[in-house]
DNA sequence: CGATCGATTGAGCCCTCTCAAGAGAGGTGG
DNA sequence: CCACCTCTCTTGAGAGGGCTCAATCGATCG
């Protein structure tokens, strides 16, 4: 296992306020690990024995209900921490993490967390900010699911994915990892059929260009307008 | 402003790991404040100048969308912290906090947070756990909104409220603060009309007893069964 | 005792889900 | 390299859960 290149991760929010020496000390406890496309990094319900930082690739965090339905919690982009169950005191992972790409992650043993936090309190503060912004995102999602129609929710979801993991092409912005209609349905609380119909409609209007697990936003601004439009604006809900 | 009674709050998770002397030092920076029923503790979008700990009463955190729709983020019970925007690095409150009861809170100035955390790192760790569990709750809500029908969501919401703020009566469990059909609708992503119809139905079956801003669960177990039942269990969603 | 706010309930509609087929794309093994 | 197989996507038809619109009732409070 090679030493991690410190300079690559030094600027990440997780390590804000740490000196180079501190960083080296933190990284010394981590090992890096590679995950093939579609392989699981960890499974919902299993012991939370590690926490992670994504270096390359993309990871999908999803939850499965007792009755077998799945929902996508979030997509993790490079530079983000995930599997933070140990940091928030959960003995088991509340979700499954799957590499959707060939992915490389840093892995710390859960037992390192208390030690690292005691030594570098900044880590706790930085993680608190990260978890806090995820809480905001989750609340945003609740608001959207409560107040918007499916088409608006899908539009918002795609815009967010494009912002987080978009690759600029000359004819638009492409979501930088394989994503299916089913995935989008699980992000927006609908069915793959409805997502398919919506994307087909957008395709005919020239808003998107999409195929098998692949979506290009051709007219992000028009999609944004779609996302914001309130069909029937009911303020009493 | 009287000194806060330390023994009342010493056992709270926020202060876990602090000595009595530490606690005194933390509390010295807080003042206590009273809020009348229906008054705002803080408003969404305003500067996050303080963070709070609820001592008595109940506080509703709600978000308003640009188009005027409201959703209830959570109800705060005594002993919980709220308005933690300063701790998670938000310059403005992302929601409005309203006392639904006559309520008493401890108030710290936002500027105290960095100082307190530097001096007592345990505070950051403890807050991280709190924010983490709220993230879990929010995800649970997303899962429910994605996979369950309105009746199940209402059942879950009421059971949660009863567990968090239920008062045992001889004929059931009463939600310990005023809560309207509208509030429940805003917690579950539906309309007050649908909530009203559901509760009317339950009332006829003897599951609940309810009135103006008042709900008693007469048969918590039967409501639990209702909450878990999956009408049409669709595992492909 | 009037006014305001919350709750109830009916009627009709529509957005989205469910059920059902089928087509296309990509991967794989012989 | 081709045939096959699987996985994803598409699309139609029909049904229904919950929303919208509308009106009324009841209770609480000043």
């Amino acid at each position: 296992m090679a030493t991690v290149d410190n300079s690559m991760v030094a600027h990440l929010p997780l390590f804000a306020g740490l000196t180079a020496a501190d960083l080296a000390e933190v990284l010394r406890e981590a090992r890096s690990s590679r995950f093939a496309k579609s392989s699981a990094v960890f499974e919902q319900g299993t012991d939370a024995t590690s926490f992670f930082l994504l270096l390359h690739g993309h990871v999908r965090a999803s939850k499965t209900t007792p009755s077998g339905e799945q929902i996508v919690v979030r997509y993790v982009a490079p530079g983000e921490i995930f599997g933070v169950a140990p940091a928030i005191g959960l003995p088991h992972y509340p979700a499954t993490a799957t590499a959707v790409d060939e992915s490389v992650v840093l892995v710390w043993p859960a037992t390192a967390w208390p030690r690292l936090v005691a030594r570098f309190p900044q880590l706790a503060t930085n993680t608190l900010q990260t978890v806090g912004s995820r809480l905001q995102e989750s609340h945003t999602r609740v608001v959207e699911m409560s107040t918007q129609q499916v088409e608006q929710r899908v539009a918002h979801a795609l815009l967010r994915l494009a912002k987080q993991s978009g690759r600029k092409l000359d004819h638009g912005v492409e979501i930088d990892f394989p994503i299916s209609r089913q995935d989008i349905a699980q992000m927006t609380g609908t069915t793959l059929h409805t997502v398919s119909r919506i994307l087909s409609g957008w395709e005919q209007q020239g808003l998107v260009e999409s195929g098998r697990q692949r979506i290009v936003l051709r007219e992000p601004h028009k999609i944004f307008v779609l996302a914001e439009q309130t069909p029937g604006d009911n303020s009493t809900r």
Side-chain angles (χ1 to χ4, degrees), chain A:
Chain A
M1 175 188 64
T3 306
V4 180
D5 181 359
N6 295 13
S7 66
M8 278 198 53
V9 298
H11 68 284
L12 297 178
L14 175 60
F15 301 123
L18 267 63
T19 67
D22 292 345
L23 179 58
E25 201 174 327
V26 173
L27 292 180
R28 202 180 313 134
E29 305 221 26
R31 63 188 178 79
S32 87
S33 184
R34 195 197 127 280
F35 289 88
K37 180 175 170 173
S38 298
S39 64
V41 180
F42 55 80
E43 302 263 8
Q44 177 175 342
T46 61
D47 291 348
T49 56
S50 309
F51 58 96
F52 306 83
L53 171 63
L54 184 61
L55 294 178
H56 293 298
H58 293 273
V59 169
R60 180 186 58 230
S62 60
K63 281 176 88 86
T64 303
T65 66
S67 47
E69 294 116 322
Q70 287 200 354
I71 72 119
V72 173
V73 174
R74 64 195 312 268
Y75 278 91
V76 181
E80 293 188 279
I81 54 174
F82 67 102
V84 294
I88 59 180
L90 293 177
H92 307 290
Y93 295 114
T96 293
T98 309
V100 295
D101 255 345
E102 174 86 9
S103 297
V104 180
V105 304
L106 285 185
V107 188
W108 282 264
T111 51
W113 178 257
R115 183 169 57 249
L116 289 173
V117 161
R119 184 137 172 61
F120 308 110
Q122 267 295 328
L123 285 179
T125 305
N126 296 339
T127 303
L128 181 51
Q129 306 233 348
T130 297
V131 175
S133 50
R134 291 192 191 165
L135 182 57
Q136 298 311 307
E137 287 164 18
S138 187
H139 285 162
T140 299
R141 194 162 162 188
V142 169
V143 169
E144 287 181 4
M145 295 187 70
S146 297
T147 62
Q148 299 176 346
Q149 319 233 131
V150 171
E151 187 170 30
Q152 278 67 48
R153 303 206 301 265
V154 170
H156 274 125
L158 290 186
L159 290 171
R160 244 175 262 130
L161 287 172
K163 178 177 277 185
Q164 191 202 32
S165 302
R167 179 172 46 189
K168 282 214 171 53
L169 306 179
D170 44 351
H171 56 292
V173 184
E174 179 170 12
I175 311 271
D176 209 14
F177 52 83
I179 184 166
S180 68
R181 308 292 187 262
Q182 173 81 279
D183 292 324
I184 295 168
Q186 292 177 349
M187 297 182 72
T188 53
T190 180
T191 62
L192 76 158
H193 308 93
T194 298
V195 172
S196 181
R197 281 183 240 271
I198 288 172
L199 288 184
S200 293
W202 290 357
E203 187 121 32
Q204 288 187 0
Q205 300 170 57
L207 301 182
V208 301
E209 184 188 311
S210 73
R212 192 189 179 83
Q213 300 197 105
R214 185 179 143 278
I215 301 176
V216 179
L217 309 190
R218 282 182 144 281
E219 302 274 11
H221 182 66
K222 288 189 182 171
I223 295 173
F224 181 81
V225 172
L226 253 180
E228 294 304 301
Q229 99 187 13
T230 72
D233 191 319
N234 176 10
S235 304
T236 69
R237 171 173 291 191

